[in-house]
Amino acid sequence: MVINAQGNNQAQPADQGTALLLAAAPVGKGCLIDAAAVLPALAAVPPSALTGTPAATVVELADPLDPQAVLTRIRTAAALPGQLHVYVTGQLHLDHRQHLLHLALARTTPSTLRYTALPWHWLTGELALRRPHTTTVVLDLVADADAWPHVRGGGVGLGHGIRVFGRVTPPPPRRTLLTPDYLRTYADIWRTGARPHLAQLHETAAGRSGPAEALFVAMDTPVGAFAPGGAAAPVHGAAAAAAGVPVAQPARAGTTAVLPPQSAPAGVAVVPLPQSAPAGTAAVPLPQGAPAGTATVPMSHGMATGAVPVMHQPPTAPSPPPLPTAEPSPAPADRIPAPAHPPAEPEDPHPAMLAAAQAGRHAEAAAIAARWESEALRIHGAGSAQAVHWLEVRADLARLAQDPGRSCALWAEVARARLARGEAASDDDVEAAVDRAHHQWEQLGDPGRARALAVALTELRGQVPGRRPGALKAIQRRLDALGTPSPLG
């Protein structure tokens, strides 16, 4: 359901924001939280309160079924200009094969998790492509027994330049159904007419919702004000009393908003912000052009105590490295595509990405790559050699994460981008991209996903048959085995 605050279908003005409400949980005994219960309360809130802009469009996804449909909605919302606020309530599970977090959807079961739930790195990857400091994410989640240790180790990190506030609770006792009380507190306060800064909302919601063992996340960035016009909307008089919001100064730009000791709810750890990186924490270099004061946050550390350590930005990194020379055969399993010419300075992000991927921190690696791709798009433009390089990196990171469907789709996108640049279908790099897309498609174990990707792959094979004859026939043979008619008719 899409609600337009203006009641029309006109294009978004510059001062309009977007709010995406995602409430998802499995149907049946696997449900840990009544995620959709908060949607009526949020629907009663003026749309502008959800985004902090004079006008807003609200997109609501209640108990969605298909992860691809959810990804499409996220991608569409992320492509819109202006401020984007994403509100997510539901439950997190861990894929035992790949050790990746997934947000359960309506049809998710333990045995179908990889095919019916939304991979968390899909969300982080799409949001990382947005301009820094234009995205806010508010979470009210419960983690199952397997996902909880991963979450406490920093597994829900969303990357640089994204404000994050939220609560993640451990799994409840058997036959207990949780409710999204943290996010409901936001709605209750907004319905009084109060418009406090999100850091204040977070503080109040954390105090009201509990439980004591929950993990509360507050990462603020210099997004400008939450209130229209550039300044945080103050809370005064009756509105403040009705909302129960403590009047406090917002967290300073570029720091983590940590609850003050005197007002932190019982059980919530309060950790002072370090002035330098903790020992053993590796900083990932930011691309050239990142806004001054941007903090480098190690996504796999720091959340275990309820706060995230923040380091000052390292020296300006070089511009994204140039395009690599792709090989016709699939890339070896122990590396991702390397730049053709190494950067002049040591802040090359490729080693950090590879180390994260090899350690199983695939969401972290994907977020780093997406951030550099975003900068390449901003500086060099779509279709540039630099942008295509980072698309290749993302494709191979998906392969390392054992996500052949996403890897196939990204390699196909690489091939189309190269063809659009004017490269010939017989060029080595074009053939290599299509060959790798085809190879990853062959690894797919999900018949539905294989059928969905077959159309684009068949179209590409028609343009780029490759050096080995029979590629189109190989696609058809597999489709026949799946009981699917040929895309060619």
Side-chain angles (χ1 to χ4, degrees), residues 62-284:
D63 290 323
L65 301 175
D66 179 27
Q68 289 294 330
V70 176
L71 176 62
T72 299
R73 291 296 186 93
I74 293 172
R75 185 170 290 165
T76 300
L80 294 174
Q83 291 291 324
L84 171 65
H85 284 63
V86 181
Y87 298 85
V88 184
T89 177
Q91 59 192 66
L92 295 173
H93 297 263
L94 192 67
D95 169 21
H96 291 289
R97 180 178 175 184
Q98 301 178 9
H99 300 286
L100 296 174
L101 284 179
H102 287 66
L103 180 71
L105 302 184
R107 294 187 296 196
T108 299
T109 64
S111 61
T112 65
L113 177 68
R114 294 182 61 215
Y115 311 110
T116 59
L118 179 75
W120 192 251
H121 63 274
W122 286 13
L123 172 66
T124 62
E126 294 302 324
L127 297 184
L129 295 176
R130 288 180 50 82
R131 186 164 57 87
H133 316 309
T134 62
T135 306
T136 301
V137 179
V138 181
L139 306 172
D140 196 350
L141 302 169
V142 57
D144 76 351
D146 295 323
W148 178 241
H150 190 84
V151 169
R152 287 193 63 85
V156 295
L158 288 164
H160 304 293
I162 298 178
R163 288 200 303 179
V164 185
F165 297 92
R167 174 188 75 159
V168 186
T169 64
R174 290 189 63 187
R175 305 181 186 279
T176 300
L177 186 66
L178 300 180
T179 54
D181 296 331
Y182 172 87
L183 197 50
R184 186 186 296 276
T185 301
Y186 279 57
D188 291 343
I189 292 173
W190 282 329
R191 289 169 67 183
T192 68
R195 298 293 182 266
H197 189 277
L198 277 180
Q200 298 171 256
L201 274 173
H202 168 79
E203 180 179 339
T204 303
R208 290 185 184 181
S209 61
E213 63 272 18
L215 179 69
F216 292 93
V217 183
M219 297 172 59
D220 211 349
T221 62
V223 296
F226 186 66
V235 185
H236 299 295
V245 178
V247 179
Q249 293 298 320
R252 73 180 184 275
T255 66
T256 299
V258 182
L259 303 183
Q262 64 272 21
S263 59
V268 177
V270 178
V271 180
L273 293 176
Q275 296 303 313
S276 59
T281 302
V284 176

Side-chain angles (χ1 to χ4, degrees), residues 193-381:
R195 298 293 182 266
H197 189 277
L198 277 180
Q200 298 171 256
L201 274 173
H202 168 79
E203 180 179 339
T204 303
R208 290 185 184 181
S209 61
E213 63 272 18
L215 179 69
F216 292 93
V217 183
M219 297 172 59
D220 211 349
T221 62
V223 296
F226 186 66
V235 185
H236 299 295
V245 178
V247 179
Q249 293 298 320
R252 73 180 184 275
T255 66
T256 299
V258 182
L259 303 183
Q262 64 272 21
S263 59
V268 177
V270 178
V271 180
L273 293 176
Q275 296 303 313
S276 59
T281 302
V284 176
L286 292 175
Q288 185 177 13
T294 300
T296 299
V297 181
M299 290 182 289
S300 296
H301 304 278
M303 296 180 65
T305 54
V308 180
V310 175
M311 295 180 289
H312 295 295
Q313 181 181 351
T316 302
S319 58
L323 184 68
T325 302
E327 302 172 4
S329 58
D334 61 346
R335 65 177 177 88
I336 58 177
H341 303 288
E345 298 183 31
E347 292 89 351
D348 178 8
H350 293 80
M353 284 185 294
L354 180 57
Q358 290 178 333
R361 302 192 309 273
H362 299 292
E364 177 181 340
I368 297 170
R371 178 75 181 95
W372 278 72
E373 183 188 27
S374 177
E375 288 301 307
L377 289 169
R378 183 180 66 83
I379 297 171
H380 303 285

